[in-house]
Amino acid sequence: MELTERTHLATATKPTATKPTATAAAPDAPTRATGTKDADGMAVASFILGLLGLLVLNVFLGPIAIALASVALWRGTARRGRAFLGLGLGIADLLVLVAFMQFDSTVSWNF
């Protein structure tokens, strides 16, 4: 039997009409793994921005770190510790800003 005959016989025995299943996801729909990866990335980003915010631009980076950490925790990140550190560092950014504002009596601070 030749290769073309075997493939023709194999395709002839398969049913031609298939019903779409209810569990089939759309090709563009994000999966659970993608959402977890996004949340993990947000947790890491909040940690890095919180650390960076202790040195520069804490008025901007602190709230961003808080928001990213909150969203990462809400989405169920696997890196909960990193998200909590980002949340704490974001809050610390704002506390450092308030402390330096009280010390300098200005809206910003410098060395």
Side-chain angles (χ1 to χ4, degrees):
M1 201 181 288
E2 291 181 15
L3 181 62
T4 57
E5 289 178 0
R6 280 188 280 174
T7 57
H8 178 66
L9 289 175
T11 57
T13 58
K14 291 182 182 178
T16 56
T18 59
K19 294 181 182 178
T21 60
T23 59
D28 295 334
T31 62
R32 176 71 179 137
T34 303
T36 304
K37 286 181 185 178
D38 289 344
D40 291 347
M42 287 181 191
V44 172
S46 71
F47 176 71
I48 292 171
L49 291 177
L51 276 176
L52 189 60
L54 288 174
L55 302 174
V56 293
L57 297 172
N58 50 3
V59 70
F60 298 111
L61 297 180
I64 292 172
I66 292 170
L68 285 174
S70 300
V71 171
L73 288 170
W74 181 72
R75 287 188 179 182
T77 181
R79 298 180 181 196
R80 292 181 57 82
R82 187 101 13 115
F84 280 122
L85 283 173
L87 185 64
L89 287 170
I91 292 170
D93 290 346
L94 297 179
L95 292 177
V96 165
L97 177 65
V98 168
F100 278 117
M101 284 173 32
Q102 291 296 320
F103 182 71
D104 288 343
S105 300
T106 62
V107 179
S108 64
W109 62 272
N110 55 20
F111 292 106

